[in-house]
Each structure stands twice: as structure tokens, then as C-alpha cells.
Amino acid sequence: MSRVINRFLVYKTVLSFNRNLKKYGFSYVNEEYLIKDTLPPLKDLTETDLDYIKEILKMVEDTCLLFFNEARCLHRSVSAYHIFRKKQLPIDLVIGVSKKPFISHAWLEFNGQVINDAPEFVEKLSVQFNTFNLRRE
């Protein structure tokens, strides 16, 4: 896919996610974006897959930084996760929290490795949701 098409796809996905989150709330997002069906098993990524993942993550980050609404970690992670799931790429969405001080955060992982955040930050959080649990064996 060309970079222009990818950029449009990313912007459309972030915009749609933001609209659905505001209009319907997180329960709708959970059903539509996260737990709609089981995920394929883990697989090795090709060089093409890795290049695509890097490109999409960069585009999502750029889009969310310039987004006219506040687009936080949930926007970034769910939007990228949604795009990767459609391409059958085995990227997982993880949501974690910390009690004191209260922090909630979302990030993406491949085979347990953080790919769109600082591993030292997320390791301090208690995982509450991980799409890895939805993968087929």
C-alpha cells in the first residue's frame, strides 16, 4: 500500500475510534475493536511486516500528536491494533493500571515485547487486559 493510502487509513481509523469512544463509550469500543472474535496464533513477522508495522506506528503517533482532540495512549494503541488486526498481524493490545498514583495506560506488544512505548514505564503497571489471551493456540 502506498504511504498516502496508509496515512488516510490511519487518520480515518483514529477519527472513527475517537467518535465511537465519545458517542458510545468504552464498552462499545471493547466489543467492536477488541473482543469481536478470536485472533490468529502468533507467527513470525517478515521484513515487509516489520516495515509496515513501523510505518503505521509512526503515522499513528504523528496523527495523534496533531489530532484536534486529545488523542492519548488508548487512541494510539487501539487504532494501530485495529489496523494490524485487519492485516492479520499478531500484535497485541495491553491495558494496565497503577493504583498509587492512579495511572491507566494502553500499549502494543509483539510476543510479549513492547513496541510502541517505553518498556520500563509499562513494567510498573498491573495488566488488566491483554488481547494475547484471545489468540488461538
Side-chain angles (χ1 to χ4, degrees), residues 16-132:
S16 173
F17 172 77
N18 185 62
R19 184 177 47 246
N20 288 333
L21 182 62
K22 286 185 176 206
K23 188 172 183 178
Y24 303 111
F26 188 76
S27 61
Y28 173 84
V29 166
N30 188 38
E31 290 175 22
E32 285 300 308
Y33 289 84
L34 305 180
I35 60 169
K36 201 168 189 174
D37 41 43
T38 59
L39 301 173
L42 280 176
K43 66 175 186 171
D44 289 334
L45 297 174
T46 66
E47 202 60 41
T48 304
D49 292 339
L50 292 171
D51 291 342
Y52 179 77
I53 289 168
K54 288 176 190 173
E55 180 179 324
I56 294 299
L57 289 176
K58 174 77 171 113
M59 288 180 181
V60 167
E61 185 68 29
D62 292 347
T63 300
C64 288
L65 283 173
L66 300 172
F67 201 62
F68 55 88
N69 283 322
E70 284 189 37
R72 299 192 182 272
C73 61
L74 190 63
H75 290 73
R76 288 191 308 270
S77 296
V78 172
S79 296
Y81 169 76
H82 187 64
I83 292 167
F84 297 145
R85 191 177 82 186
K86 284 185 172 187
K87 289 279 269 181
Q88 295 292 302
L89 294 170
I91 303 300
D92 290 304
L93 174 77
V94 184
I95 299 174
V97 298
S98 171
K99 289 184 180 180
K100 291 184 182 179
F102 179 77
I103 298 169
S104 63
H105 191 60
W107 66 94
L108 297 173
E109 293 183 353
F110 169 69
N111 201 16
Q113 300 293 334
V114 178
I115 63 168
N116 73 332
D117 216 315
E120 58 276 0
F121 175 71
V122 300
E123 71 186 14
K124 299 173 186 171
L125 303 173
S126 173
V127 172
Q128 302 298 306
F129 177 83
N130 189 337
T131 58
F132 183 81

